[in-house]
Amino acid sequence: MLAGLLAGSASAQEFVRGDCLNVVQPTRGLRFENDDHARWYKRFWTGNCQDLNLCFPGSPNWNDIVSKLLVKGGPAEKPALLPKACRLGQLIGMEWARDRRIKRISTQDLKRFSNILDDAGDPLKGVEAVEVKARALLAKPQG
């Protein structure tokens, strides 16, 4: 079932924003632990709760966050900001989408990250600050 989910999502319609695809690994190439991990990862990027229990659809989702960052940074920052924001989304999303009993990045962490990004005067510095915090969480033991 997982192979079907990934094949359908990745080949028929990749849900990661198109301008991120040249800097992140395609969804079909990622290793998910189970079907729910893949579905929650899709939720992280799109806000789509299809086939998920206890899920709230919509924003925030990473595709929207990247758009807001790019508007805030303007055309001059886009070449540096876009790849960092996209890679950060994959880093955070893959961990946040895991089973709640073992993931090291929680929904509460996502809220903190969002606040950092919103409060940063410079979106590139905000992305870099969130990356430092996310990597620190990922360095902790699982569970």
Side-chain angles (χ1 to χ4, degrees):
M1 182 143 167
L2 180 60
L5 172 72
L6 295 182
S9 296
S11 60
Q13 181 170 354
E14 173 69 60
F15 49 83
V16 172
R17 50 184 293 137
D19 53 359
C20 283
L21 293 177
N22 62 343
V23 295
V24 300
Q25 188 171 355
T27 302
R28 71 179 175 280
L30 297 175
R31 296 183 62 119
F32 294 98
E33 295 165 348
N34 54 42
D35 289 352
D36 275 348
H37 187 200
R39 285 191 283 266
W40 280 107
Y41 182 71
K42 182 177 182 180
R43 163 50 184 110
F44 175 83
W45 280 93
T46 67
N48 182 329
C49 285
Q50 183 178 353
D51 299 321
L52 289 169
N53 294 323
L54 303 173
C55 178
F56 298 97
S59 288
N61 63 69
W62 202 255
N63 285 328
D64 288 349
I65 287 170
V66 172
S67 293
K68 289 175 187 170
L69 288 169
L70 293 175
V71 167
K72 190 174 180 181
E77 275 201 29
K78 185 176 181 178
L81 182 59
L82 180 67
K84 285 185 179 233
C86 296
R87 284 192 289 269
L88 181 62
Q90 190 159 70
L91 177 81
I92 293 170
M94 282 298 289
E95 184 64 25
W96 174 81
R98 298 178 76 203
D99 185 283
R100 65 179 172 77
R101 295 167 291 193
I102 59 170
K103 67 182 170 183
R104 294 168 287 188
I105 294 178
S106 69
T107 300
Q108 197 61 32
D109 294 319
L110 294 184
K111 290 175 185 174
R112 282 189 208 101
F113 296 163
S114 180
N115 289 338
I116 291 168
L117 294 172
D118 287 346
D119 294 344
D122 178 347
L124 190 56
K125 288 188 175 157
V127 166
E128 290 167 350
V130 168
E131 182 177 359
V132 167
K133 294 196 178 296
R135 289 196 184 280
L137 291 170
L138 291 170
K140 293 181 178 182
Q142 287 181 322

